[in-house]
């Protein structure tokens, strides 16, 4: 068992609310189609706030909630697929914003599973003597890579950020990570991707130009095979939760909440039936935020903690799934 205590959380959701009705003014769709197929009623979109800014705002709230200052943070892990720069990392930019001078910083890309990967890493880092407080920031401006003329993807996504401070608890504290399950299926990469820059320099010969691995043209938009992702998501979500439950040696009834990645309510409902979870345990908030990729799980976690619905000592399962393809689940005692 790895000792880890969530000591502070915070969210940043952009002010701009885009309803399904507003989406139907830019693409051929309807509120009814989006709601019944996805459970999404509206999403927040950035009005230009960069990814680092949203992350820094969430981080400030989380650190203050933890009763700490930036100087107390030993490590910053940012999860994002929509950074503002190739380099510096978003974690380094957030470090300078929150004056976390002694922190080591890096970003990870595990797409929508990013937060679960980061939490697993945090629990492992906290086992070492020289790290006491870790800041995880999940921040996504998915609108940067969405084609707003493609109705099959643009209705799904929203922007937002969330941050969590993880600290090493005292020996008497029961807060802990009970088990994690992480995995990837790289051979499914073509089902969901967004392309980065090509190799282009003055010495390149034409015949050396490589065709794109996934057949993508020159844009950087999210490209998705919705039905393949749908099937993968239901399987990944239910299998990884069942696996992590076995690994943690708990029963599903002992879980106060199961927080799945907020992609689509049909995926979540189908997976919940498959794992025989009580609907009351399942957190489903995509109606208000859409799919915010790696930020979606910690946004829900922050809401549960701030509203007092999650109490110390209760067990929670998290489960992410997404591009890569990646998946992961964790069970911890809050
Ligand atoms: N409004 C109206 N019609 C639409 C829209 C829309 N926004 N989008 C697609 N359609 C149309 C299609 O063009 C198609 O029309 P056609 O039959 O004339 O060709 C029809 O609806 C059916 O399309 P399907 O793709 O078969 O629709 P489906 O029932 O599969 O629903 C959806 C599409 C919602 C994307 C579904 O496949 C899905 O939920 N997939 C999971 C993908 C997901 O959640 N991705 C999120 C990112 S992944 C992640 O976070 C891990």
């Amino acid at each position: 068992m790895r000792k880890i205590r969530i000591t502070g959380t915070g969210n940043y959701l952009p002010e701009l609310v885009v309803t399904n009705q507003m989406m139907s003014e830019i693409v051929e769709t309807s509120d009814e189609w989006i709601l019944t197929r996805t459970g999404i009623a509206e999403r927040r979109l950035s009005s230009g706030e960069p990814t680092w800014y949203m992350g820094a705002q969430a981080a400030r709230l989380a650190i203050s909630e933890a009763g700490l200052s930036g100087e107390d943070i030993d490590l910053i892990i940012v999860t994002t697929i929509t950074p503002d720069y190739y380099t510096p990392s978003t974690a380094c930019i957030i470090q300078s914003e929150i004056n976390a001078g002694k922190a080591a910083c890096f970003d990870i890309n595990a797409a929508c599973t990013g937060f679960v990967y980061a939490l697993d890493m945090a629990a492992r880092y906290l086992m070492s003597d020289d790290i006491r407080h870790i800041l995880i920031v999940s921040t996504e401006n998915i609108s940067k890579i969405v084609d707003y003329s493609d109705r099959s993807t643009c209705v799904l996504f929203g922007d937002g950020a969330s941050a969590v401070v993880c600290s090493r608890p005292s020996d008497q504290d029961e807060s802990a990570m009970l088990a994690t399950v992480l995995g990837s299926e790289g051979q499914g990469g073509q089902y969901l991707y967004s392309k980065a820059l090509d190799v282009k320099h003055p010495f390149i010969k034409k015949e050396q130009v490589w065709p794109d691995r996934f057949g993508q043209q020159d844009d950087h938009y999210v490209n998705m095979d919705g039905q393949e992702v749908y099937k993968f998501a239901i399987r990944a979500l239910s299998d990884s939760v069942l696996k992590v439950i076995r690994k943690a040696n708990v029963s599903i009834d002992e879980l106060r909440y199961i927080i799945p990645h907020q992609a689509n309510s049909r995926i979540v409902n189908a997976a919940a039936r498959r794992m025989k979870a009580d609907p009351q345990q399942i957190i489903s908030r995509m109606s208000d935020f859409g799919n915010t990729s790696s930020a979606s799980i910690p946004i829900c976690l922050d809401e549960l903690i701030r509203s007092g619905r999650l109490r110390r000592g209760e067990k929670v399962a998290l489960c992410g799934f997404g591009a890569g393809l990646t998946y992961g689940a964790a069970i911890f005692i809050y």
Side-chain angles (χ1 to χ4, degrees):
M1 193 194 294
R2 291 168 272 155
K3 303 287 288 178
I4 177 171
R5 182 179 172 91
I6 292 178
T7 46
T9 59
N11 284 347
Y12 176 88
L13 291 158
E15 269 181 33
L16 175 61
V17 176
V18 176
T19 62
N20 289 347
Q21 169 60 32
M22 290 161 76
M23 295 303 302
S24 74
E25 287 161 21
I26 60 162
V27 285
E28 202 179 323
T29 190
S30 64
D31 179 43
E32 197 263 335
W33 193 97
I34 303 171
L35 256 185
T36 53
R37 302 289 175 117
T38 71
I40 297 166
E42 58 189 42
R43 69 286 295 142
R44 305 291 189 92
L45 295 188
S46 164
S47 295
E49 303 100 300
T51 304
W52 65 259
Y53 173 83
M54 300 198 305
Q57 294 295 90
R60 285 189 185 97
L61 287 172
I63 292 171
S64 131
E65 195 64 35
L68 301 173
S69 76
E71 279 302 319
D72 298 312
I73 303 295
D74 300 302
L75 177 64
I76 302 175
I77 307 174
V78 166
T79 76
T80 187
I81 54 168
T82 47
D84 305 297
Y85 301 91
Y86 277 137
T87 191
S89 68
T90 309
C92 282
I93 300 175
I94 291 174
Q95 175 195 33
S96 78
E97 284 292 308
I98 61 170
N99 300 318
K102 73 170 194 224
C105 301
F106 59 86
D107 292 3
I108 62 165
N109 175 346
C112 306
T113 320
F115 181 74
V116 183
Y117 270 60
L119 196 64
D120 175 75
M121 292 169 87
R124 293 177 196 277
Y125 271 112
L126 285 171
M127 290 172 80
S128 69
D129 285 344
D130 49 353
I131 296 207
R132 296 196 66 80
H133 303 290
I134 299 175
L135 173 69
I136 301 174
V137 184
S138 298
T139 179
E140 303 281 11
N141 256 325
I142 305 291
S143 59
K144 292 204 279 194
I145 54 167
V146 165
D147 176 359
Y148 284 90
S149 66
D150 173 8
R151 67 179 181 174
S152 65
T153 52
C154 72
V155 300
L156 303 175
F157 296 99
D159 299 330
S162 189
V164 170
V165 176
C166 303
S167 305
R168 181 136 43 92
S170 65
D171 289 344
Q172 299 74 39
D173 195 317
E174 63 176 332
S175 302
M177 180 67 77
L178 296 184
T180 53
V181 166
L182 301 181
S184 309
E185 297 179 11
Q187 73 280 9
Q190 76 272 20
Y191 297 138
L192 186 56
Y193 62 88
S194 147
K195 189 174 157 54
L197 292 178
D198 283 327
V199 180
K200 270 186 191 154
H201 58 73
F203 306 102
I204 204 158
K205 292 187 191 133
K206 234 195 168 40
E207 59 269 27
Q208 289 176 319
V209 174
W210 285 58
D212 181 70
R213 180 178 176 82
F214 301 133
Q216 175 77 331
Q217 301 307 312
D218 262 350
D219 65 63
H220 304 284
Y221 292 134
V222 169
N223 208 294
M224 181 180 75
D225 181 332
Q227 291 182 2
E228 287 296 338
V229 173
Y230 189 83
K231 284 186 280 181
F232 162 74
I234 294 171
R235 172 171 57 84
L237 208 172
S238 47
D239 287 358
S240 56
V241 171
L242 292 174
K243 214 168 172 180
V244 81
I245 281 173
R246 280 197 300 275
K247 205 168 165 187
N249 201 18
V250 298
S251 74
I252 197 162
D253 313 331
E254 289 176 60
L255 299 175
R256 180 70 180 92
Y257 295 111
I258 299 172
I259 310 178
H261 166 48
Q262 306 286 299
N264 177 317
S265 60
R266 282 196 306 160
I267 293 174
V268 168
N269 295 342
R273 282 194 299 275
R274 223 170 153 232
M275 59 179 128
K276 298 189 172 61
D278 177 349
Q280 301 293 324
Q281 291 174 296
I282 308 283
I283 301 300
S284 191
R285 292 283 292 122
M286 65 288 284
S287 161
D288 293 355
F289 309 126
N291 178 348
T292 54
S293 190
S294 71
S296 87
I297 293 174
I299 285 173
C300 294
L301 187 60
D302 175 73
E303 286 191 338
L304 288 175
I305 292 172
R306 279 176 189 269
S307 63
R309 289 164 64 206
L310 177 62
R311 298 200 196 90
R312 289 289 173 197
E314 292 181 324
K315 297 186 182 81
V316 182
L318 312 177
C319 178
F321 50 88
L325 300 167
T326 56
Y327 60 88
I331 293 181
F332 66 91
I333 302 177
Y334 173 61

